[in-house]
Amino acid sequence: MHRVAVIGAGFGGLFAIKALRNAPVEITLINGTAYHLFQPLLYQVATGILSEGEIAPPIREVLKRQKNVDVRLGWAREIDVENKVVKVDGPGIDYEVEYDTLIVAAGAAQSYFGNDGFADNAPGMKNIDDALELRARIFGAFEIADLHTDPEDIERWLTFVVVGAGPTGTEMAGQIAELAHRTLPGQYKHIDPRKARIILVDALGAVLNTFGDHLSTKALRQLHLLGVEVELNTKVVGVDPTGIEVESERGHQRIPSMTKVWAAGVSAPRWPASWPSRPARRRTGPAGSLWKRTSPSRTTPRSSCSAT
């Protein structure tokens, strides 16, 4: 029987598998976690609305009615294209998966556009660990602000900067504003959470730039109603533990802030050097796309995102 190996249990991987549920194939799914992550709701985990389990159903439960799938835990280490074998690092055990057709749906990574040093002070939000880290930083900022007596220290802890006005950044900024202005007031003795500043920064000239003028204008109006300060045509040029450096038409500016969130772009995940370089797709057999070797000059695909 035709063997299909699928790397990744995100939306792409699961949709591919479900499309093959009635096909005469044997599918092996390789994924680094035992759960499927519903990434669009990560911001709600980061702001305490949802628990992590509510957006991460077990893969085996999602696919329990599909009998032609074998779910395997592990990380693809090497793809041997000539022999059609995926070599996998499992938890405490390495193994190989043979295939006739290979589908790689390994997801996306956060892009800092060449400024990876920003990550320590402005974490992104691509997995559950990221969301829990941000939750700790956001709620911790209010707790620490409540301990301070210096107004400048309090203001710095109550200033939240979200970089990137796409869907993730817009949702995140709005939810932090809801938290600060509507949920938390009355819970602290020494601070007023309603005085928190939530600043949304983007290098482009519109919120939700790819969604068209109507939705962009509507989203901008809603953000203003929530009390979010929107800084467009503003480029981030530096991030450190106590603030963020930006450049705009007003020139160079520093925004003191202890809590920064990066939602400015995505890139393909970093591939092991042994993976095929810049794969091309071609149709084959019942499962669709197959990897074939092309130019060996690159081991990491180029991001399609422009710098912020």
Side-chain angles (χ1 to χ4, degrees):
M1 187 174 291
H2 195 90
R3 301 163 300 177
V4 179
V6 180
I7 299 175
F11 292 116
L14 289 186
F15 272 109
I17 290 169
K18 286 181 174 291
L20 296 171
R21 60 184 175 273
N22 296 320
V25 298
E26 293 179 349
I27 304 169
T28 302
L29 171 61
I30 304 163
N31 198 62
T33 67
Y35 55 82
H36 162 71
L37 178 61
F38 192 84
Q39 278 194 343
L41 292 180
L42 274 174
Y43 78 97
Q44 295 198 17
V45 174
T47 51
I49 296 174
L50 297 176
S51 67
E52 58 269 32
E54 292 179 273
I55 67 166
I59 296 169
R60 294 182 186 278
E61 182 178 340
V62 174
L63 298 174
K64 66 182 179 181
R65 290 187 174 87
Q66 188 164 337
K67 302 304 180 183
N68 62 344
V69 183
D70 179 13
V71 179
R72 304 254 189 118
L73 183 65
W75 297 265
R77 167 173 47 86
E78 181 180 345
I79 298 174
D80 184 342
V81 179
E82 301 301 325
N83 296 307
K84 295 188 175 181
V85 173
V86 180
K87 298 180 181 180
V88 185
D89 290 338
I93 181 172
D94 297 341
Y95 59 91
E96 296 183 351
V97 175
E98 298 180 348
Y99 66 86
D100 299 301
T101 295
L102 176 63
I103 300 173
V104 178
Q110 194 71 59
S111 174
Y112 288 88
F113 308 108
N115 299 294
D116 292 345
F118 292 176
D120 290 340
N121 298 303
M125 193 167 48
K126 289 299 175 189
N127 55 50
I128 286 179
D129 288 341
D130 291 341
L132 294 177
E133 168 70 16
L134 285 171
R135 180 192 291 186
R137 293 191 185 207
I138 291 166
F139 283 93
F142 289 100
E143 296 296 331
I144 296 172
D146 193 55
L147 299 175
H148 280 280
T149 56
D150 186 296
E152 290 187 1
D153 290 335
I154 294 173
E155 182 178 358
R156 186 163 57 247
W157 279 103
L158 291 183
T159 298
F160 302 85
V161 180
V162 180
V163 181
T168 299
T170 299
E171 290 170 335
M172 190 68 182
Q175 199 59 60
I176 296 174
E178 290 262 8
L179 184 70
H181 300 157
R182 300 181 182 180
T183 304
L184 296 180
Q187 298 185 23
Y188 293 88
K189 293 290 186 181
H190 309 293
I191 61 170
D192 182 357
R194 290 172 295 186
K195 293 183 179 179
R197 295 179 66 198
I198 297 88
I199 305 171
L200 179 61
V201 176
D202 198 284
L204 299 178
V207 172
L208 299 180
N209 182 63
T210 60
F211 283 69
D213 292 342
H214 175 71
L215 287 178
S216 178
T217 301
K218 189 173 181 179
L220 181 61
R221 184 185 307 117
Q222 188 63 33
L223 287 168
H224 285 156
L225 290 174
L226 289 170
V228 177
E229 302 174 33
V230 181
E231 298 288 345
L232 301 174
N233 298 308
T234 302
K235 182 180 180 181
V236 175
V237 295
V239 180
D240 58 60
T242 60
I244 189 166
E245 307 279 340
V246 299
E247 288 183 353
S248 67
E249 295 175 351
R250 299 189 299 273
H252 189 92
Q253 181 185 3
R254 178 174 176 80
I255 304 173
S257 170
M258 301 301 294
T259 308
K260 287 80 64 179
V261 181
W262 192 272
V266 297
S267 65
R270 190 178 300 279
W271 296 356
S274 57
W275 283 34
S277 301
R278 292 183 65 87
R281 287 185 170 187
R282 61 183 174 88
R283 303 292 298 181
T284 180
S289 58
L290 174 70
W291 290 66
K292 66 178 182 179
R293 188 177 302 276
T294 57
S295 169
S297 60
R298 287 183 56 85
T299 57
T300 304
R302 190 183 305 275
S303 170
S304 60
C305 299
S306 59
T308 295

